């Protein structure tokens, strides 16, 4: 069954352009360029795959990311502290998948132990495993970590070039469906995308420079030899095994992969979303309790505005009465302290991310408390 996200024409064109830019990042800059091995900081990327709060390491999200990269002819290695390979560890979700990933040679566990009684917890410095492996094999690091503690130590000078020039972050766009099949990709709750902190106009070229080795670079021969050791048939076999893992996960959840023609990302537009879709349940309950008699205001039909627009009364402290039909858009900026009644209207965040929207709601609630 096909599913099409109800986007407006302008939003759909923007989504197509973003997809084209993403595909361009995976095009080798020259014919001689070879894709570098990708070394994933499993703890960092796994937490990012769990959502905005980063409360735990989502092993199913790691499976989705690894398959997404293998489909693009990259060789992937994941380093993860062994304490996460425990179904009883509340910091790890879907930990039962890690044993299969280790058998496939994708995940390598770093030494660690959990605390028990008088025994202190111990986690070996897994960042050093990630950085040193990437330095020795000409790889690119996938992590949101800045590795500042390694950069500040002169004994790790050999790793500084890799950290500064071959580190790429992975951002996860939340999906409205748990299991999504988009073209040849299969995603679990989030759609990954590679990201660097360069200017948006230069981001695609920056990614290509970090992902591919060129003949004039000193580690080109190392990358070339490693690439020749892994046949395309092995990557296809790994993709098939990871697909089986994701399918078994969907069957266990009683859900099916939904085939889509466009990724149903929440940040493609907030129309039709409820507050509990983007905010914690306690905050949503408090919101509905406080604004139970609210009415939607849809005069300005901006495609990036969540419906209904929240109505908040901006009232001066000296005036005890509440004037009806007065509303403003919630804003993280402080309300005016003028002695007369004022209406403050501030635009919504322009990045349209769930994190910004959640912050927008939270700061509006704080503004209401300060008003009282």
């Amino acid at each position: 069954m096909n599913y099409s996200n109800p986007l407006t024409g302008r939003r759909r064109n923007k989504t197509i352009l973003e997809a084209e830019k993403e595909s361009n990042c995976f095009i080798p800059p020259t014919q001689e360029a070879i894709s570098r091995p990708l070394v994933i900081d499993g703890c960092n990327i796994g937490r990012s795959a769990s959502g905005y709060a980063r409360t735990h390491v989502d092993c199913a999200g790691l499976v989705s990311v690894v398959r997404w990269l293998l489909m693009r002819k990259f060789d992937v290695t994941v380093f993860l502290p062994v304490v996460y390979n425990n179904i009883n560890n509340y910091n790890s979700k879907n930990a039962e998948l890690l044993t299969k990933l280790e058998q496939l040679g994708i995940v390598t566990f770093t030494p660690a132990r959990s605390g028990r009684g008088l025994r202190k917890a111990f986690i070996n410095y897994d960042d050093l495993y990630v950085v040193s492996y990437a330095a020795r094999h000409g790889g690119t690091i996938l992590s949101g970590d800045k590795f500042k503690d390694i950069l500040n130590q002169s004994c790790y000078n050999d790793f500084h070039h890799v950290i500064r020039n071959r580190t790429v972050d992975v951002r996860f766009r939340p999906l409205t469906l748990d299991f999504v099949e988009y073209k040849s990709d299969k995603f679990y709750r989030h759609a990954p995308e590679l990201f660097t902190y360069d200017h948006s106009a230069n981001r695609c070229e920056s990614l290509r420079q970090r992902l591919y080795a060129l003949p004039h670079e000193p580690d080109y021969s190392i990358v070339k030899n490693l690439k020749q050791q892994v046949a395309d048939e092995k990557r296809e076999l790994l993709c098939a095994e990871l697909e089986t893992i994701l399918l078994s996960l969907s069957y266990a959840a009683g859900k099916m992969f939904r085939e889509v023609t466009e990724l149903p990302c929440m940040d493609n537009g907030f129309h039709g979303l409820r507050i509990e879709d983007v905010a914690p349940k306690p905050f949503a309950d408090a919101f509905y309790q406080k604004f139970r008699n609210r009415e939607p205001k849809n005069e300005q039909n901006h495609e990036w505005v969540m419906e209904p627009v929240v109505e908040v009364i901006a009232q001066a402290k000296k005036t005890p009465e509440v004037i009806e039909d007065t509303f403003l858009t919630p804003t993280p900026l402080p309300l005016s302290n003028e002695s007369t009644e004022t209406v403050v209207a501030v635009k919504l965040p322009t990045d349209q991310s769930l994190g910004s929207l959640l912050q927008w709601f939270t700061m509006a609630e704080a503004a209401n408390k300060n008003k009282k």
Side-chain angles (χ1 to χ4, degrees), residues 106 108 116 162 167 272 280 336:
I106 296 175
T108 299
R116 180 179 300 174
V162 178
T167 299
S336 175

Side-chain angles (χ1 to χ4, degrees), residues 203-244:
R203 187 169 298 152
C204 180
E205 185 63 28
S206 176
L207 285 172
R208 294 169 68 186
Q209 293 176 359
R210 296 166 189 256
L211 295 176
Y212 294 92
L214 299 176
H216 67 273
E217 295 179 315
D219 55 358
Y220 180 79
S221 59
I222 298 176
V223 176
K224 184 177 181 180
N225 292 334
L226 290 175
K227 194 70 174 180
Q228 293 174 350
Q229 295 177 11
V230 182
D232 291 337
E233 291 76 10
K234 182 178 180 180
R235 297 188 190 92
E236 294 175 358
L237 177 61
L238 290 176
C239 288
E241 292 287 346
L242 297 180
E243 181 177 355
T244 302

